Amino acid sequence: MRIVFMGTPAFAVPSLRMLVEEGYEVVAVLTQPDRPQGRKKTLTPSPVKEAALDLGLPVLQPERLRRPEAVAELAVYAPDLIVTAAYGQILPKSVLDMPVNGCVNVHGSLLPKYRGGAPIQRSIINGETVTGVTLMYMAEGLDTGDMISRVEVPIEEEDTSGTLFEKLSLAGRDLLKAEMPRLSAGKVEAEAQDDSEATYAPNLSREDERIDWNAGSREIYNRIRGLVPFSGAFTLWNGETFKVWAAAKPSGAGTGGTAAPGTVLAVSERGVEVKTGDGSLLLTAVQPAGKKAMNAADFSRGANMPPGTVLG
Protein backbone atom coordinates (compact mmCIF):
# COMPACT_ATOMS: atom_id res chain seq x y z
CA MET A 1 0.00 0.00 0.00
CA ARG A 2 1.38 3.36 -1.07
CA ILE A 3 1.17 5.91 1.76
CA VAL A 4 1.60 9.68 1.65
CA PHE A 5 2.25 11.23 5.05
CA MET A 6 1.37 14.85 5.84
CA GLY A 7 2.56 16.64 8.98
CA THR A 8 4.59 19.58 10.19
CA PRO A 9 5.50 19.86 13.92
CA ALA A 10 7.30 17.44 16.23
CA PHE A 11 3.91 16.02 17.22
CA ALA A 12 3.78 14.20 13.86
CA VAL A 13 7.32 12.78 13.82
CA PRO A 14 6.73 9.62 15.92
CA SER A 15 3.85 8.57 13.62
CA LEU A 16 5.98 9.06 10.51
CA ARG A 17 8.93 7.14 11.96
CA MET A 18 6.64 4.33 13.09
CA LEU A 19 5.25 3.83 9.58
CA VAL A 20 8.74 3.50 8.14
CA GLU A 21 10.04 1.31 10.95
CA GLU A 22 7.06 -1.03 10.61
CA GLY A 23 7.82 -1.52 6.92
CA TYR A 24 4.94 0.45 5.40
CA GLU A 25 5.66 2.03 2.02
CA VAL A 26 5.74 5.78 2.57
CA VAL A 27 6.19 7.15 -0.94
CA ALA A 28 6.22 10.89 -0.09
CA VAL A 29 5.92 13.34 2.78
CA LEU A 30 4.11 16.68 2.64
CA THR A 31 4.94 19.42 5.11
CA GLN A 32 4.73 23.18 5.37
CA PRO A 33 7.35 25.32 3.61
CA ASP A 34 10.45 26.32 5.54
CA ARG A 35 9.65 29.32 7.75
CA PRO A 36 11.79 32.12 9.25
CA GLN A 37 12.74 31.41 12.85
CA GLY A 38 14.47 33.38 15.58
CA ARG A 39 15.67 36.95 15.67
CA LYS A 40 17.74 36.46 12.52
CA LYS A 41 14.69 35.06 10.67
CA THR A 42 16.66 32.07 9.42
CA LEU A 43 14.67 29.79 7.11
CA THR A 44 14.15 26.61 9.10
CA PRO A 45 12.67 23.26 7.99
CA SER A 46 9.84 21.71 9.95
CA PRO A 47 10.58 18.78 12.28
CA VAL A 48 8.70 16.50 9.86
CA LYS A 49 10.87 17.61 6.94
CA GLU A 50 14.01 16.94 8.96
CA ALA A 51 12.74 13.48 9.90
CA ALA A 52 11.69 12.68 6.32
CA LEU A 53 15.08 13.64 4.91
CA ASP A 54 16.76 11.56 7.63
CA LEU A 55 14.61 8.62 6.51
CA GLY A 56 15.44 9.22 2.85
CA LEU A 57 11.88 10.09 1.83
CA PRO A 58 10.81 12.53 -0.91
CA VAL A 59 9.50 15.80 0.55
CA LEU A 60 6.90 18.12 -0.98
CA GLN A 61 6.25 21.59 0.49
CA PRO A 62 3.36 23.25 -1.33
CA GLU A 63 2.51 26.73 -0.09
CA ARG A 64 -1.16 25.98 -0.79
CA LEU A 65 -2.28 22.39 -1.25
CA ARG A 66 -5.52 23.65 -2.80
CA ARG A 67 -3.70 24.89 -5.90
CA PRO A 68 -4.18 22.62 -8.94
CA GLU A 69 -0.45 22.30 -9.52
CA ALA A 70 0.05 21.06 -5.93
CA VAL A 71 -2.73 18.48 -6.32
CA ALA A 72 -1.21 17.32 -9.61
CA GLU A 73 2.22 16.96 -8.01
CA LEU A 74 0.70 14.83 -5.24
CA ALA A 75 -1.27 12.68 -7.69
CA VAL A 76 1.97 11.50 -9.29
CA TYR A 77 2.63 9.45 -6.14
CA ALA A 78 -0.71 7.60 -6.53
CA PRO A 79 -1.37 7.13 -2.79
CA ASP A 80 -3.61 4.34 -1.56
CA LEU A 81 -3.79 5.97 1.89
CA ILE A 82 -3.02 9.46 3.16
CA VAL A 83 -2.07 9.83 6.83
CA THR A 84 -2.00 13.30 8.36
CA ALA A 85 -0.92 14.57 11.78
CA ALA A 86 -0.97 18.32 12.45
CA TYR A 87 -0.24 19.14 8.82
CA GLY A 88 -1.56 22.68 9.10
CA GLN A 89 -3.56 22.93 5.87
CA ILE A 90 -7.11 21.90 5.00
CA LEU A 91 -7.19 19.14 2.40
CA PRO A 92 -9.37 19.96 -0.63
CA LYS A 93 -11.93 17.47 -1.90
CA SER A 94 -9.66 16.61 -4.83
CA VAL A 95 -7.08 15.30 -2.33
CA LEU A 96 -9.60 13.68 0.03
CA ASP A 97 -10.97 11.66 -2.91
CA MET A 98 -7.54 10.65 -4.21
CA PRO A 99 -6.60 7.56 -2.12
CA VAL A 100 -8.79 4.47 -2.42
CA ASN A 101 -8.36 3.71 1.29
CA GLY A 102 -9.16 7.27 2.34
CA CYS A 103 -7.41 9.97 4.33
CA VAL A 104 -6.95 9.51 8.08
CA ASN A 105 -5.90 12.06 10.66
CA VAL A 106 -4.18 11.71 14.05
CA HIS A 107 -5.92 14.49 16.02
CA GLY A 108 -4.82 15.63 19.47
CA SER A 109 -8.15 15.62 21.29
CA LEU A 110 -11.10 13.41 22.14
CA LEU A 111 -13.38 14.42 19.30
CA PRO A 112 -15.89 15.94 18.92
CA LYS A 113 -14.36 18.13 21.65
CA TYR A 114 -11.66 20.56 20.58
CA ARG A 115 -11.97 20.54 16.83
CA GLY A 116 -9.46 22.90 15.26
CA GLY A 117 -5.81 23.88 15.20
CA ALA A 118 -4.94 24.29 18.90
CA PRO A 119 -6.64 21.46 20.80
CA ILE A 120 -3.69 20.68 23.07
CA GLN A 121 -3.03 24.25 24.19
CA ARG A 122 -6.70 25.03 24.74
CA SER A 123 -7.37 21.85 26.71
CA ILE A 124 -4.77 22.99 29.26
CA ILE A 125 -5.89 26.63 29.20
CA ASN A 126 -9.45 25.48 29.87
CA GLY A 127 -8.38 23.39 32.86
CA GLU A 128 -9.22 19.96 31.40
CA THR A 129 -7.92 16.95 33.33
CA VAL A 130 -8.29 14.41 30.52
CA THR A 131 -7.65 14.65 26.79
CA GLY A 132 -6.49 12.11 24.22
CA VAL A 133 -6.02 11.28 20.57
CA THR A 134 -8.62 10.47 17.95
CA LEU A 135 -7.83 8.59 14.74
CA MET A 136 -10.44 9.69 12.22
CA TYR A 137 -11.31 9.72 8.57
CA MET A 138 -10.98 13.18 7.09
CA ALA A 139 -13.95 15.02 5.62
CA GLU A 140 -14.45 18.46 4.12
CA GLY A 141 -15.51 20.01 7.45
CA LEU A 142 -13.12 21.03 10.23
CA ASP A 143 -12.30 17.78 12.06
CA THR A 144 -15.80 16.47 11.41
CA GLY A 145 -14.94 13.07 9.95
CA ASP A 146 -15.98 9.69 11.33
CA MET A 147 -13.91 8.36 14.23
CA ILE A 148 -11.96 5.11 13.84
CA SER A 149 -10.68 4.88 17.42
CA ARG A 150 -9.68 7.01 20.41
CA VAL A 151 -7.37 6.80 23.40
CA GLU A 152 -7.51 8.87 26.60
CA VAL A 153 -4.49 10.60 28.14
CA PRO A 154 -4.64 12.31 31.57
CA ILE A 155 -3.52 15.93 31.93
CA GLU A 156 -1.41 16.32 35.05
CA GLU A 157 -1.45 19.58 37.01
CA GLU A 158 2.18 20.28 36.09
CA ASP A 159 1.78 19.50 32.38
CA THR A 160 2.55 22.24 29.88
CA SER A 161 1.63 22.21 26.22
CA GLY A 162 5.15 20.96 25.58
CA THR A 163 4.91 17.92 27.85
CA LEU A 164 1.38 17.16 26.68
CA PHE A 165 2.37 17.42 23.01
CA GLU A 166 5.00 14.77 23.65
CA LYS A 167 2.59 12.47 25.49
CA LEU A 168 -0.07 12.80 22.80
CA SER A 169 2.40 12.37 19.95
CA LEU A 170 3.43 8.99 21.38
CA ALA A 171 -0.18 8.03 22.10
CA GLY A 172 -1.07 8.96 18.52
CA ARG A 173 1.80 6.90 17.17
CA ASP A 174 0.67 3.85 19.14
CA LEU A 175 -2.97 4.31 18.14
CA LEU A 176 -2.05 4.57 14.46
CA LYS A 177 0.23 1.54 14.75
CA ALA A 178 -2.59 -0.54 16.25
CA GLU A 179 -5.02 0.43 13.49
CA MET A 180 -2.69 0.21 10.47
CA PRO A 181 -3.37 -3.50 9.78
CA ARG A 182 -7.09 -2.74 9.45
CA LEU A 183 -6.45 0.40 7.40
CA SER A 184 -4.16 -1.57 5.10
CA ALA A 185 -6.95 -4.01 4.41
CA GLY A 186 -9.31 -1.26 3.27
CA LYS A 187 -11.67 1.27 4.75
CA VAL A 188 -12.85 0.29 8.21
CA GLU A 189 -16.08 0.92 10.07
CA ALA A 190 -16.05 4.23 11.88
CA GLU A 191 -18.34 6.09 14.26
CA ALA A 192 -19.97 9.37 13.27
CA GLN A 193 -19.33 12.31 15.57
CA ASP A 194 -22.16 13.86 17.56
CA ASP A 195 -22.06 17.46 16.32
CA SER A 196 -24.17 18.61 19.28
CA GLU A 197 -21.22 17.84 21.56
CA ALA A 198 -18.63 19.62 19.43
CA THR A 199 -16.38 22.31 20.86
CA TYR A 200 -13.72 24.26 18.99
CA ALA A 201 -10.06 25.05 19.52
CA PRO A 202 -9.09 27.80 17.07
CA ASN A 203 -5.47 28.82 16.67
CA LEU A 204 -4.27 31.12 19.42
CA SER A 205 -4.26 34.88 18.94
CA ARG A 206 -2.12 37.53 20.59
CA GLU A 207 -5.03 38.36 22.90
CA ASP A 208 -5.19 34.71 24.04
CA GLU A 209 -1.60 35.08 25.25
CA ARG A 210 -2.26 38.13 27.42
CA ILE A 211 -2.80 37.57 31.14
CA ASP A 212 -5.97 38.99 32.65
CA TRP A 213 -5.06 39.56 36.29
CA ASN A 214 -8.75 39.87 37.19
CA ALA A 215 -9.06 36.15 36.55
CA GLY A 216 -8.53 33.60 39.30
CA SER A 217 -5.06 32.27 40.17
CA ARG A 218 -5.87 28.79 38.83
CA GLU A 219 -7.17 30.18 35.55
CA ILE A 220 -4.03 32.28 35.06
CA TYR A 221 -1.82 29.32 36.01
CA ASN A 222 -3.55 27.20 33.36
CA ARG A 223 -3.09 29.89 30.73
CA ILE A 224 0.62 30.18 31.46
CA ARG A 225 1.32 26.45 31.21
CA GLY A 226 -0.93 26.14 28.15
CA LEU A 227 1.34 28.56 26.27
CA VAL A 228 4.67 26.93 27.22
CA PRO A 229 7.04 26.35 25.42
CA PHE A 230 5.63 28.13 22.38
CA SER A 231 4.57 31.78 22.54
CA GLY A 232 4.45 32.15 26.32
CA ALA A 233 1.93 34.22 28.24
CA PHE A 234 2.58 37.93 28.67
CA THR A 235 1.61 41.03 30.59
CA LEU A 236 2.85 44.62 30.37
CA TRP A 237 5.47 46.23 32.59
CA ASN A 238 6.18 49.92 32.01
CA GLY A 239 4.36 49.62 28.70
CA GLU A 240 6.59 46.80 27.42
CA THR A 241 6.00 43.08 27.01
CA PHE A 242 6.84 41.05 30.11
CA LYS A 243 6.61 37.33 29.38
CA VAL A 244 5.79 34.69 31.95
CA TRP A 245 7.15 31.20 31.36
CA ALA A 246 6.31 29.46 34.63
CA ALA A 247 4.37 29.90 37.86
CA ALA A 248 4.01 27.96 41.07
CA LYS A 249 0.89 25.83 41.31
CA PRO A 250 -1.72 27.78 43.30
CA SER A 251 -2.10 26.28 46.75
CA GLY A 252 -4.93 28.36 48.17
CA ALA A 253 -6.49 31.78 48.24
CA GLY A 254 -3.11 33.50 48.51
CA THR A 255 -2.59 37.00 49.83
CA GLY A 256 -2.92 40.54 48.61
CA GLY A 257 -5.67 42.08 50.69
CA THR A 258 -7.36 44.95 48.88
CA ALA A 259 -4.62 45.47 46.25
CA ALA A 260 -5.85 45.75 42.69
CA PRO A 261 -5.37 42.67 40.45
CA GLY A 262 -2.02 42.92 38.67
CA THR A 263 -0.27 44.57 41.61
CA VAL A 264 3.17 43.20 42.46
CA LEU A 265 3.10 42.15 46.11
CA ALA A 266 6.70 40.95 46.47
CA VAL A 267 9.81 40.14 44.45
CA SER A 268 12.18 37.56 45.89
CA GLU A 269 14.32 34.59 44.93
CA ARG A 270 11.14 32.51 45.15
CA GLY A 271 9.38 34.55 42.47
CA VAL A 272 7.29 37.58 41.62
CA GLU A 273 4.07 37.46 43.62
CA VAL A 274 1.21 39.19 41.80
CA LYS A 275 -2.32 39.89 43.01
CA THR A 276 -5.02 38.04 41.05
CA GLY A 277 -8.78 38.19 41.05
CA ASP A 278 -9.05 35.71 43.94
CA GLY A 279 -5.68 35.82 45.69
CA SER A 280 -2.15 35.84 44.32
CA LEU A 281 0.14 33.89 41.98
CA LEU A 282 3.89 33.35 42.22
CA LEU A 283 5.68 33.77 38.88
CA THR A 284 8.84 31.65 38.82
CA ALA A 285 10.27 32.23 35.32
CA VAL A 286 9.94 35.51 33.45
CA GLN A 287 11.38 37.43 30.51
CA PRO A 288 11.54 41.23 30.46
CA ALA A 289 11.48 42.94 27.06
CA GLY A 290 14.80 42.68 25.23
CA LYS A 291 16.21 40.05 27.58
CA LYS A 292 16.42 36.29 27.78
CA ALA A 293 14.09 34.20 29.89
CA MET A 294 15.32 33.84 33.47
CA ASN A 295 14.34 32.20 36.73
CA ALA A 296 12.98 34.20 39.63
CA ALA A 297 16.27 34.23 41.53
CA ASP A 298 18.15 35.82 38.61
CA PHE A 299 15.35 38.31 37.97
CA SER A 300 15.14 39.38 41.62
CA ARG A 301 18.84 40.28 41.74
CA GLY A 302 18.60 42.89 39.00
CA ALA A 303 14.93 43.80 38.93
CA ASN A 304 13.67 47.30 39.56
CA MET A 305 10.14 46.11 40.27
CA PRO A 306 9.19 47.32 43.74
CA PRO A 307 6.03 46.13 45.51
CA GLY A 308 3.11 48.20 44.30
CA THR A 309 4.16 48.02 40.66
CA VAL A 310 1.11 47.31 38.52
CA LEU A 311 1.30 44.86 35.64
CA GLY A 312 -1.29 45.10 32.90
Side-chain angles (χ1 to χ4, degrees):
M1 184 173 64
R2 297 171 61 82
I3 299 172
V4 166
F5 185 88
M6 300 182 180
T8 298
F11 174 84
V13 171
S15 291
L16 172 60
R17 289 194 176 276
M18 179 278 296
L19 290 172
V20 174
E21 290 166 1
E22 291 296 309
Y24 294 103
E25 185 183 5
V26 179
V27 295
V29 173
L30 270 71
T31 190
Q32 296 278 52
D34 296 1
R35 302 296 189 196
Q37 299 286 340
R39 292 185 177 181
K40 295 184 178 180
K41 302 298 182 184
T42 305
L43 277 180
T44 304
S46 72
V48 164
K49 179 180 179 179
E50 292 182 330
L53 294 177
D54 181 57
L55 294 166
L57 302 173
V59 176
L60 308 179
Q61 295 179 273
E63 188 70 44
R64 294 287 183 271
L65 185 55
R66 289 185 173 274
R67 292 175 179 167
E69 61 270 23
V71 176
E73 185 179 24
L74 174 60
V76 170
Y77 290 91
D80 299 308
L81 176 72
I82 290 177
V83 177
T84 74
Y87 173 46
Q89 295 193 41
I90 295 175
L91 275 58
K93 190 174 187 301
S94 55
V95 172
L96 293 173
D97 292 342
M98 191 179 294
V100 65
N101 286 7
C103 301
V104 299
N105 181 41
V106 180
H107 182 76
S109 80
L110 296 173
L111 291 172
K113 294 187 69 174
Y114 294 105
R115 295 173 177 174
I120 299 174
Q121 296 98 318
R122 291 195 181 273
S123 65
I124 292 181
I125 289 172
N126 291 345
E128 301 282 2
T129 58
V130 177
T131 185
V133 177
T134 303
L135 183 65
M136 55 178 288
Y137 280 115
M138 301 185 73
E140 288 189 81
L142 180 64
D143 297 325
T144 57
D146 293 349
M147 301 178 294
I148 299 167
S149 58
R150 304 193 304 171
V151 61
E152 291 188 355
V153 175
I155 302 176
E156 306 295 339
E157 284 194 314
E158 293 79 13
D159 269 327
T160 65
S161 283
T163 61
L164 193 56
F165 260 81
E166 184 174 353
K167 291 179 182 180
L168 292 180
S169 71
L170 298 179
R173 174 201 63 190
D174 294 344
L175 188 62
L176 179 63
K177 180 179 178 179
E179 295 295 341
M180 277 303 298
R182 289 204 303 154
L183 293 170
S184 299
K187 286 194 174 182
V188 302
E189 289 187 12
E191 176 187 356
Q193 295 186 42
D194 184 347
D195 291 340
S196 69
E197 296 182 356
T199 61
Y200 292 88
N203 289 327
L204 296 164
S205 67
R206 178 70 170 168
E207 197 56 35
D208 289 318
E209 298 165 3
R210 187 168 184 170
I211 297 171
D212 176 7
W213 295 108
N214 291 295
S217 298
R218 172 67 63 171
E219 183 179 342
I220 297 171
Y221 174 72
N222 290 341
R223 184 169 300 275
I224 291 168
R225 65 196 185 101
L227 294 166
V228 172
F230 306 107
S231 58
F234 79 95
T235 186
L236 296 180
W237 176 30
N238 292 332
E240 295 187 303
T241 297
F242 184 71
K243 287 205 169 188
V244 180
W245 291 105
K249 184 172 65 175
S251 57
T255 60
T258 60
T263 301
V264 175
L265 303 176
V267 178
S268 68
E269 290 192 354
R270 292 180 57 245
V272 180
E273 186 180 6
V274 184
K275 181 71 171 67
T276 66
D278 65 356
S280 65
L281 186 68
L282 190 67
L283 314 182
T284 58
V286 297
Q287 183 177 7
K291 297 185 178 180
K292 294 182 179 180
M294 62 187 78
N295 61 34
D298 290 339
F299 177 73
S300 67
R301 283 192 284 270
N304 183 22
M305 183 184 279
T309 299
V310 178
L311 307 178

